[in-house]
Amino acid sequence: MGLVPALEEPLRQPLKSVLGPATAKVMAEHLGLHTVGDLLHHYPRRYEERGQLTHLADLPMDEHVTVVAQVADARLHSFASARAPRGKGQRLEVTITDGSGRLQLVFFGNGVHKPHKELLPGTRAMFAGKVSVFNRRLQLAHPAYELLRGDGEETVENWAGALIPLYPATAKLESWKIGKAVQTVLPTAREAVDPLPPALREGRGLLPLPEALLKIHRPHTKADIEDARARLKWDEAFVLQVALARRRHADAQLPAVARTPAPDGLLTAFDARLPFTLTEGQRKVSQEIFDDLATEHPMHRLLQGEVGSGKTMVALRAMLAVVDAGGQAAMLAPTEVLAQQHHRSVTEMMGELAEGGMLGGTEHATKVVLLTGSMGAAARRRALLDLATGEAGIVIGTHALIEDKVRFHDLGLVVVDEQHRFGVEQRDALRGKGKQPPHLLVMTATPIPRTVAMTVFGDLETSVLDQLPAGRSPIASHVVPAADKPHFLARAWERVREEVAGGHQAYVVCPRIGDEEDDPKKAARKKSPEDEAEKRPPLAVLDVADHLAKGPLEGLRVEVLHGRMHPDDKDAVMRRFAAGETDVLVATTVIEVGVNVPNATAMVIMDADRFGVSQLHQLRGRVGRGSAAGLCLLVTEMPEASAARQRLNAVASTLDGFELSRIDLEQRREGDVLGQAQSGARSSLRVLAVIEDEEVIAQAREEAAKVVEADPELAHLPGLRTALDALLDDEREQYLEKG
């Protein structure tokens, strides 16, 4: 065993000892690369073939690009400016082409001399810079460049392969500089320790790791790239799945108190007073949960349910079962608005069963308390006391529940709502509150494709609620192209008036609040290409509410709701809306999760192209919650052919959240999805694509479970242990940074 670390040493060498301090500093700061191993795992984004050039025609705006192209012509212009009043200013304009399109390069001032000598027509080079638009044409200002002479010793050495690797680069470090650095450390790749068990690698016909690293950085053929990627994908999927399998294995060893509801207790009393019958799906999922609760190991279950499929009801029955068995249950919500809402709906559903210890409470009743950060001191003290004595069977709150001061009498179940805002470390903090680890139920209304569930929530078993409860109405969704057809927008406001005239209510959702400080520096800096195209900031709640109240919705009761309001004000606005005292609520996405007003039937989403697909689906789920049909209007100014419009058309065409979450994932890079879902190690996927590589992930999960079952400590797999430590180090660092 003592030999293993020694084998690993060359890859653990700090880059500064190999590349020199200046380059190493830029790599650490801008790319997060610290060791030789980090650099070897910084894979090319794509490859250029010598005879084939990047398409200049489809360059992305505002991004750092690297292109290989040929100089078509170069002209030096003189001009007068404040600095060079006598017409002595110089500007070099170079046009490059690749057959698909042309691109203008500009150099100014003293920077023109070198390129003027070197960039002669017919010269081929790699150019790197940020694409901008000038006079409606794409250009690169002061790009860095590297001539491809193909004669000098070094160039021949570097570009020997027909395939030129292009690396994810930054303004401070062009792709070819990264390429040269990789060239320097590449010989070390031969000493990389292979994490895959040999039987698994040979059984699947995968390359050894050293060979895969050499081939991904210096491929001679496209087949080399394919083989290398296939191997490296396996590493990522497998090491991550082993980490998750070990987590599941460790959790399965933990003791927990089995919680079986009393035969004629609180749960029976609750079911008896339900005014409707549970759906088949709710009964099936409840049974899975009750089976888990009855075992002596902690349940770890993810409950996925479409918006409005009745997840809260399933969670509440699980909480009641635990209270029945003498324990306490805690429900964690991501925001105060949501915690208050859950508290209100749970106490309403339970009626006198929630009045434990009070007059009017029945014999099985328990107490349901709310605990949030903004509560008054007296109310907070009372809630904490009820938890410590066990008087309160159910507590609902924000992550104020995780604070050190909170003590439970006997915490048996933790329900976490909207998992994607809640990392593993918070779950662990709450688990530590029980005498023995409590059971855990995680709820999410964001439908998660199977592969993401296996990757992000791999330590949880999954239950899916896919039927809508009886009495839910379908939601009709339409795209309103405000720029192409302004009369459609006018009609949208008429539709809102019609809904209100019919005794219903409506939401209008905007991307911004509108009281942000307009810092000119910030404004100058944060311009996305779409903003450039539209030349206007996203619509804001305060402006839109004002415009509607004085214009299209004059005479209706219009109120605003956004995240920066005082919690009491937010609650008051929600109460008035829920009570039907407000006709139209103009809000930010604070209403995205859990707001339940069955009488609200219409929603108009302004600048809908600025929201993600899953987010639009979540928002839309706030209407059609009663017996009247729901209507969702997606207002956008984006042109018909744009990707944004295609996204909106997809949302309008289906109510199936799983279908939409696939579309969403395909359109965003996985990194965002996984990155926001969990700690950063999840987004360290470099070559694994969550949707396309569904099979690899599923197989890796099976193999990982077998390996961990046979050897939980990985005593016989030193290479795998090393890889795992590296992954988990990453993850720990992320936690510390987040903490």
Side-chain angles (χ1 to χ4, degrees):
M1 289 300 304
L3 293 172
V4 176
L7 277 177
E8 188 54 17
E9 286 315 306
L11 270 72
R12 292 213 170 159
Q13 265 178 293
L15 284 172
K16 53 177 180 284
S17 64
V18 190
L19 299 176
T23 311
K25 185 170 185 249
V26 178
M27 287 199 165
E29 282 175 11
H30 294 274
L31 296 169
L33 308 175
H34 303 279
T35 64
V36 169
D38 291 345
L39 180 55
L40 287 173
H41 287 294
H42 185 73
Y43 310 134
R45 178 180 291 170
R46 55 195 174 86
Y47 302 84
E48 283 303 343
E49 287 184 61
R50 285 205 168 265
Q52 206 197 9
L53 301 171
T54 325
H55 284 296
L56 291 180
D58 28 301
L59 283 180
M61 277 288 299
D62 256 4
E63 274 192 30
H64 281 280
V65 297
T66 304
V67 296
V68 179
Q70 191 160 7
V71 176
D73 80 335
R75 297 177 186 189
L76 196 57
H77 301 275
S78 304
F79 61 92
S81 70
R83 285 193 181 163
R86 289 198 291 283
K88 293 261 174 61
Q90 290 196 305
R91 180 174 80 240
L92 174 67
E93 289 180 5
V94 177
T95 307
I96 59 172
T97 176
D98 67 350
S100 78
R102 297 166 85 80
L103 181 64
Q104 184 109 26
L105 316 177
V106 286
F107 299 88
F108 293 101
N110 296 336
V112 304
H113 306 307
K114 185 166 174 272
H116 190 212
K117 280 209 299 283
E118 295 184 333
L119 296 179
L120 304 170
T123 310
R124 299 194 50 222
M126 294 171 78
F127 301 92
K130 196 168 184 182
V131 183
S132 56
V133 170
F134 181 71
N135 276 345
R136 310 180 81 164
R137 285 169 51 204
L138 293 181
Q139 71 165 25
L140 294 181
H142 281 287
Y145 62 88
E146 172 95 340
L147 301 181
L148 295 178
R149 298 196 183 82
D151 50 19
E153 277 300 299
E154 184 204 31
T155 332
V156 172
E157 162 71 61
N158 259 342
W159 312 119
L163 294 159
I164 302 172
L166 293 184
Y167 290 89
T170 72
K172 297 266 187 289
L173 209 60
E174 293 88 14
S175 167
W176 57 85
K177 288 190 182 152
I178 298 172
K180 284 179 182 168
V182 169
Q183 189 75 15
T184 310
V185 301
L186 204 51
T188 322
R190 300 183 196 288
E191 301 172 55
V193 179
D194 203 319
L196 291 190
L200 168 67
R201 197 190 76 228
E202 287 150 22
R204 296 197 171 268
L206 296 167
L207 296 180
L209 181 59
E211 197 181 325
L213 289 171
L214 293 170
K215 283 189 168 168
I216 199 144
H217 290 293
R218 285 290 170 270
H220 290 291
T221 63
K222 289 194 169 160
D224 284 354
I225 301 172
E226 284 311 300
D227 294 348
R229 288 179 72 92
R231 161 63 217 245
L232 296 165
K233 268 179 190 179
W234 252 94
D235 279 17
E236 284 183 14
F238 183 70
V239 174
L240 182 57
Q241 291 301 338
V242 167
L244 293 166
R246 288 189 69 189
R247 212 187 147 93
R248 285 196 303 275
H249 186 270
D251 285 344
Q253 310 308 308
L254 293 172
V257 180
R259 309 278 177 177
T260 319
D264 282 318
L266 186 55
L267 182 62
T268 316
F270 175 76
D271 284 351
R273 56 176 314 235
L274 279 182
F276 51 81
T277 53
L278 297 173
T279 65
E280 188 48 45
Q282 284 175 318
R283 274 203 295 276
K284 181 177 128 291
V285 170
S286 286
Q287 197 50 55
E288 291 173 348
I289 293 171
F290 292 151
D291 291 347
D292 282 359
L293 289 173
T295 63
E296 301 200 337
H297 298 293
M299 160 172 87
H300 294 124
R301 193 166 278 283
L302 173 68
L303 171 56
Q304 293 191 49
E306 273 289 13
V307 177
S309 56
K311 291 183 299 298
T312 314
M313 171 61 68
V314 170
L316 177 55
R317 292 185 72 234
M319 298 201 302
L320 295 174
V322 168
V323 174
D324 248 355
Q328 290 170 296
M331 184 181 216
L332 261 166
T335 63
E336 295 211 350
V337 169
L338 206 57
Q340 286 161 342
Q341 184 115 17
H342 276 316
H343 182 252
R344 216 163 27 239
S345 62
V346 164
T347 44
E348 277 166 18
M349 285 197 260
M350 287 176 64
E352 69 270 20
L353 294 174
E355 295 170 5
M358 298 187 244
L359 286 171
T362 65
E363 56 166 330
H364 297 302
T366 185
K367 211 172 196 181
V368 180
V369 299
L370 177 69
L371 189 63
T372 62
S374 65
M375 281 167 77
R380 192 179 165 81
R381 262 201 310 278
R382 204 163 50 244
L384 288 173
L385 187 66
D386 284 343
L387 287 180
T389 59
E391 183 85 9
I394 294 179
V395 57
I396 294 171
T398 52
H399 27 252
L401 279 179
I402 303 176
E403 289 175 15
D404 293 344
K405 295 194 227 25
V406 183
R407 293 271 173 277
F408 289 87
H409 176 63
D410 178 13
L411 180 61
L413 170 67
V414 176
V415 178
V416 178
D417 187 18
E418 285 305 319
Q419 169 67 18
H420 58 274
R421 319 207 170 177
F422 218 82
V424 176
E425 67 273 37
Q426 289 126 317
R427 290 181 352 208
D428 287 347
L430 198 65
R431 273 184 201 168
K433 298 275 183 197
K435 297 193 177 84
Q436 285 193 333
H439 298 281
L440 174 73
L441 180 65
V442 173
M443 301 198 297
T444 173
T446 312
I448 303 168
R450 170 173 156 248
T451 41
V452 182
M454 284 191 291
T455 314
V456 181
F457 304 111
D459 55 339
L460 303 173
E461 298 299 326
T462 307
S463 297
V464 179
L465 269 181
D466 45 14
Q467 289 168 293
L468 286 187
R472 273 301 168 84
S473 314
I475 304 169
S477 308
H478 304 285
V479 177
V480 177
D484 316 351
K485 302 183 176 160
H487 59 284
F488 275 38
L489 184 57
R491 175 75 189 110
W493 301 126
E494 280 171 31
R495 282 291 289 116
V496 170
R497 294 191 87 99
E498 287 164 20
E499 290 297 313
V500 172
H504 296 299
Q505 293 158 281
Y507 297 100
V508 177
V509 183
C510 308
R512 285 193 316 142
I513 297 174
D515 59 358
E516 293 88 347
E517 290 299 305
D518 286 334
D519 175 355
K521 276 193 195 138
K522 256 193 195 150
R525 215 174 40 238
K526 291 185 108 162
K527 285 246 169 58
S528 75
E530 279 98 342
D531 287 352
E532 283 294 355
E534 294 177 356
K535 286 286 183 269
R536 72 164 178 77
L539 291 169
V541 166
L542 301 175
D543 310 340
V544 169
D546 190 48
H547 162 73
L548 292 176
K550 293 181 179 152
L553 302 183
E554 199 180 348
L556 301 186
R557 296 167 299 178
V558 177
E559 288 211 54
V560 299
L561 178 70
H562 58 73
R564 283 217 289 272
M565 287 163 63
H566 187 278
D568 294 348
D569 297 341
K570 277 194 259 194
D571 204 40
V573 169
M574 271 321 299
R575 276 176 200 275
R576 286 196 291 275
F577 190 64
E581 295 161 22
T582 307
D583 299 319
V584 179
L585 187 62
V586 183
T588 55
T589 53
V590 288
I591 62 158
E592 175 187 351
V593 282
V595 172
N596 188 11
V597 179
N599 191 42
T601 51
M603 175 177 286
V604 181
I605 303 180
M606 307 303 290
D607 279 344
D609 46 89
R610 312 227 180 190
F611 299 96
V613 171
S614 296
Q615 199 175 22
L616 290 169
H617 183 59
Q618 286 283 331
L619 286 166
R620 167 171 68 182
R622 303 294 121 220
V623 296
R625 296 178 79 86
S627 49
L631 172 69
C632 176
L633 302 173
L634 306 165
V635 179
T636 176
E637 294 188 357
M638 295 306 268
E640 190 147 6
S642 63
R645 271 287 278 283
Q646 286 158 7
R647 265 207 327 265
L648 297 180
N649 291 340
V651 175
S653 67
T654 175
L655 289 171
D656 177 349
F658 284 91
E659 179 51 33
L660 288 174
S661 69
R662 276 193 88 93
I663 294 170
D664 198 13
L665 258 186
E666 280 158 11
Q667 296 208 330
R668 298 195 298 179
R669 294 193 312 286
E670 268 85 11
D672 315 344
V673 181
L674 303 177
Q676 69 169 18
Q678 286 281 339
S679 72
R682 300 290 191 265
S683 52
S684 64
L685 298 186
R686 297 185 175 95
V687 284
L688 196 67
V690 174
I691 289 276
E692 290 144 43
D693 298 324
E694 186 160 349
E695 277 318 291
V696 177
I697 294 172
Q699 291 166 7
R701 184 177 163 110
E702 275 172 41
E703 296 276 8
K706 278 188 226 159
V707 166
V708 171
E709 196 55 44
D711 180 4
E713 292 305 308
L714 307 180
H716 303 296
L717 296 167
L720 179 54
R721 273 232 315 273
T722 307
L724 202 59
D725 290 343
L727 177 79
L728 297 177
D729 269 354
D730 231 25
E731 199 170 87
R732 273 194 217 110
E733 267 170 45
Q734 294 287 344
Y735 282 170
L736 295 176
E737 281 166 24
K738 279 173 71 172

